[in-house]
Amino acid sequence: MSLPLAPGLAGTRILLGISAGIAAYKSAHLARLLKKSGFEVRVVMTEGAQAFITPLTLQALTGEPVRTSLLDPEAEAGMGHIELAKWADVILIAPATADLMARLAHGHADDLLTTLCLATEARCLMAPAMNQAMWRHPATLANADRLVELGWILLGPDAGDQACGDVGLGRMLEPETILAQLLDELEPARDEALRVMPVHRDLVGRRVVITAGPTREALDPVRYLSNHSSGKMGYALAAACAERGASVTLVSGPVTLSTPPGVERIEVISAAEMLTAVESRMPCDLFIGCAAVADYRAAAISEHKLKKTEDASGLTLELVRNPDIVATIAARPDRPFTVGFAAETQALETHAGSKLERKRLDLVVANDVSREGVGFGGDDNAATLLWRERERTRRHTLPRQPKTALANAIVDHIADRMR
């Protein structure tokens, strides 16, 4: 993969910093992508990084000598580290370990890479990479928040399988994704139609669980009860929360969407499976029940395919109630800030207001799925937000807009309410 650069970006000088994480093996591919895309690239490696990948590999890929030591007599004869700091238009650290993040957050300059970062006026970005428990540690999240305050742009981390065998949020983004996000940061006009608003980092340190998509309730081995939900709204909310710095778990019914960068995804089928997955991620700070959960399931699932009867009397199914996921979470002793969705076809605010009261929710997002062009399956949506304040039900209307934009507007309101 290589992406064309906008006029004025060709020849941009990127200093690629590599710290001591197993994800350093991906840095070689990243260096190659940066070169193919038209950037000038020089590499600085920490001492620990050399245990994972050799400087010779990076030198071969970039065509430039790799710097590894602050106290290099030949380079420092001309104040080499200061010259490097001045040379760079952009500093990109990938991977950035928890240790490196901590040192940069507190202004340390005890090796070449951290010294460069303190001495530069370049734009600074990093792609964190570490064990999922290390990323979730309050100290790491506080350091991430501090780095953002200092002007750093964090790319990721991503969620998935980790080298240690764990699964969760903390792995480095793939090189192709890092390149795409780097270009997005350097080219403000790139894909302007998709860039709906500036990203606020107001959810750093928050743990968020979101449900999305439909559930399927089996009738027999080949048939099920379900609905038309595409999952697009829930996935857009997950992406918006992750971009704002939250640690996001997306519990998803069967959909065909890609997992947003930096989001942990748990795939489920039925409502019961969805509730189990959500409860496995409690406690959290924010729960958004965006999934279109089937209200009923078959009382008994047929072992074999249900056959048509010879007469015309039809088929009678016995259904039982599914668990109410959003109400269950709202009723927990350690309840998070709980947001429900109400997809209605009539009396929108009446039904949504009833859900707000009955289920003791903090906020309901109501949308009229009978309107043409919005709701299930479409790329646009509109919503009315309802919440209780000073013994009264308040409302705020969000007009029709792309679901990505609507998700950011909803998360704006949620973050304000949580504060």
Side-chain angles (χ1 to χ4, degrees):
M1 169 186 175
S2 60
L3 297 176
L5 298 182
L9 281 185
T12 297
R13 295 174 295 192
I14 295 185
L15 193 152
L16 177 61
I18 304 175
S19 62
I22 183 61
Y25 80 91
K26 297 181 181 180
S27 302
H29 184 39
L30 176 58
R32 182 170 177 270
L33 291 178
L34 292 170
K35 288 288 291 185
K36 286 182 64 178
S37 295
F39 293 107
E40 291 186 36
V41 183
R42 294 184 183 178
V43 175
V44 170
M45 302 176 67
T46 66
E47 181 179 354
Q50 298 170 67
F52 296 94
I53 186 171
T54 67
L56 184 59
T57 299
L58 278 305
Q59 180 173 319
L61 291 169
T62 63
E64 297 283 350
V66 175
R67 293 287 304 276
T68 60
S69 174
L70 178 61
L71 303 177
D72 180 347
E74 182 176 343
E76 290 308 306
M79 293 300 288
H81 68 283
I82 298 298
E83 289 304 312
L84 268 178
K86 293 179 178 178
W87 173 86
D89 298 312
V90 176
I91 291 180
L92 170 62
I93 302 178
T97 61
D99 174 71
L100 183 68
M101 290 177 64
R103 288 189 285 136
L104 287 173
H106 293 87
H108 291 196
D110 49 4
D111 63 8
L112 178 58
L113 185 54
T114 52
T115 301
L116 285 170
C117 291
L118 261 65
T120 192
E121 295 182 357
R123 197 163 188 177
C124 295
L125 306 92
M126 67 170 62
M130 65 200 72
N131 168 266
Q132 54 87 23
M134 295 174 69
W135 173 254
R136 288 189 290 106
H137 195 282
T140 304
L141 295 176
N143 289 335
D145 198 10
R146 175 62 178 156
L147 288 167
V148 172
E149 292 176 0
L150 293 173
W152 282 86
I153 297 169
L154 271 58
L155 309 179
D158 204 351
D161 295 331
Q162 299 189 316
C164 61
D166 285 357
V167 178
L169 194 65
R171 60 183 287 169
M172 189 173 90
L173 294 175
E174 293 303 315
E176 292 83 358
T177 303
I178 292 175
L179 175 60
Q181 292 194 11
L182 172 67
L183 292 177
D184 201 39
E185 292 292 341
L186 297 183
E187 300 177 29
R190 181 183 177 87
D191 297 331
E192 189 63 36
L194 300 178
R195 294 176 60 84
V196 296
M197 64 193 324
V199 175
H200 307 290
R201 299 288 291 184
D202 48 9
L203 292 180
V204 170
R206 300 283 194 172
R207 296 183 62 190
V208 179
V209 178
I210 301 173
T211 63
T215 63
R216 292 177 179 174
E217 310 301 331
L219 299 175
D220 62 25
V222 298
R223 301 183 181 92
Y224 55 81
L225 299 173
S226 191
N227 56 63
H228 297 294
S229 173
S230 66
K232 291 179 181 178
M233 193 70 244
Y235 275 63
L237 287 165
C241 289
E243 288 172 359
R244 293 162 181 257
S247 174
V248 181
T249 298
L250 178 62
V251 181
S252 175
V255 298
T256 59
L257 304 173
S258 299
T259 307
V263 172
E264 176 193 19
R265 176 173 171 174
I266 302 176
E267 296 184 352
V268 299
I269 301 295
S270 68
E273 291 175 355
M274 183 170 282
L275 177 59
T276 298
V278 168
E279 291 185 319
S280 75
R281 291 301 185 268
M282 293 294 120
C284 67
D285 300 296
L286 168 63
F287 173 66
I288 304 177
C290 188
V293 181
D295 292 326
Y296 296 91
R297 68 183 186 276
I301 301 173
S302 176
E303 183 179 356
H304 301 288
K305 179 183 175 183
L306 295 169
K307 307 298 290 183
K308 287 187 291 187
T309 58
E310 293 300 326
D311 57 38
S313 61
L315 175 68
T316 299
L317 295 174
E318 183 183 355
L319 303 179
V320 296
R321 287 286 297 271
N322 264 327
D324 190 319
I325 297 174
V326 71
T328 300
I329 299 305
R332 289 173 62 95
D334 58 351
R335 71 187 305 277
F337 188 95
T338 305
V339 179
F341 269 66
E344 305 292 347
T345 59
Q346 60 179 345
L348 180 69
E349 291 193 28
T350 299
H351 292 315
S354 174
K355 176 178 282 191
L356 179 72
E357 294 291 336
R358 286 184 292 105
K359 302 186 180 184
R360 297 178 55 247
L361 306 181
D362 295 293
L363 180 74
V364 164
V365 181
N367 60 311
D368 185 348
V369 294
S370 67
R371 289 178 53 192
E372 184 177 354
V374 299
F376 289 148
D379 292 325
D380 291 355
N381 208 346
T384 299
L385 310 184
L386 301 176
W387 69 98
R388 293 286 292 175
E389 183 178 298
R390 297 175 185 169
E391 306 302 321
R392 294 179 58 190
T393 298
R394 307 287 183 172
R395 65 188 299 276
H396 178 67
T397 300
L398 296 171
R400 177 175 174 172
Q401 55 193 297
K403 287 181 177 177
T404 50
L406 183 65
N408 273 293
I410 292 171
V411 176
D412 269 344
H413 191 84
I414 291 172
D416 286 341
R417 297 295 304 161
M418 290 178 70
R419 283 194 292 269

